[in-house]
Amino acid sequence: MPILTVKISAQRSDTLTDQVAAMLAEHTSAILGKKPEVTAIAISYIDPRDWIIAGKSLQSHGKSSFALEIKVTDETNTKDEKKRYIAAVFAGFTAILGDIHEESYIHVHDVRAAAYGYGGKTQEFRYQHP
């Protein structure tokens, strides 16, 4: 039931949205073991002129960037799984966007089960009442 929120430094396109969503869904399922049917992905686009790193726009740098935040239930993934996920997602964005600025971020939030849920039920409730 993860929610992935991603910002991409690019002009919006259906093709890019489809590629990014497919890549994220694949890695989230294959590496983190999350069910695709309850995985949500929200993608926002930011003009490269408006994304500033080290005082210069990405357009000036001639690079792309992204920032991904994913919320998962605490204690459901190991450090090694998260390490593999971060490496695979960075490589996936590089394959899709090309020259990625090193200052591109992936943040895996481990959220307490009693404070996180969907459909009006917490993950803790779902664990206690399978």
Side-chain angles (χ1 to χ4, degrees):
M1 66 146 283
I3 175 75
L4 292 79
T5 307
V6 63
K7 296 176 184 172
I8 303 169
S9 67
Q11 298 301 315
R12 190 201 179 288
S13 84
D14 291 342
T15 301
L16 186 53
T17 295
D18 291 346
Q19 290 174 332
V20 168
M23 180 270 294
L24 290 174
E26 171 61 26
H27 292 320
T28 302
S29 175
I31 299 171
L32 298 182
K34 305 307 178 190
K35 296 177 183 174
E37 62 271 17
V38 291
T39 297
I41 302 170
I43 300 173
S44 301
Y45 290 90
I46 299 174
D47 190 304
R49 298 172 296 179
D50 298 325
W51 191 308
I52 311 303
I53 297 176
K56 291 174 42 181
S57 72
L58 283 170
Q59 181 173 312
S60 298
H61 285 286
K63 295 182 180 274
S64 295
S65 190
F66 68 92
L68 169 66
E69 296 196 32
I70 175 173
K71 292 180 175 87
V72 298
T73 305
D74 192 26
E75 298 182 354
T76 60
N77 292 104
T78 67
K79 284 192 227 182
D80 286 339
E81 288 169 335
K82 289 180 268 190
K83 175 184 169 183
R84 286 193 342 264
Y85 182 76
I86 289 169
V89 167
F90 193 90
F93 271 108
T94 300
I96 293 168
L97 297 176
D99 195 9
I100 297 286
H101 198 287
E102 184 177 52
E103 300 301 319
S104 297
Y105 297 97
I106 301 166
H107 186 172
V108 179
H109 296 271
D110 290 304
V111 183
R112 293 182 58 156
Y116 182 53
Y118 67 96
K121 297 176 183 169
T122 68
Q123 289 301 84
E124 182 64 24
F125 178 88
R126 291 175 194 286
Y127 180 77
Q128 297 293 335
H129 303 91

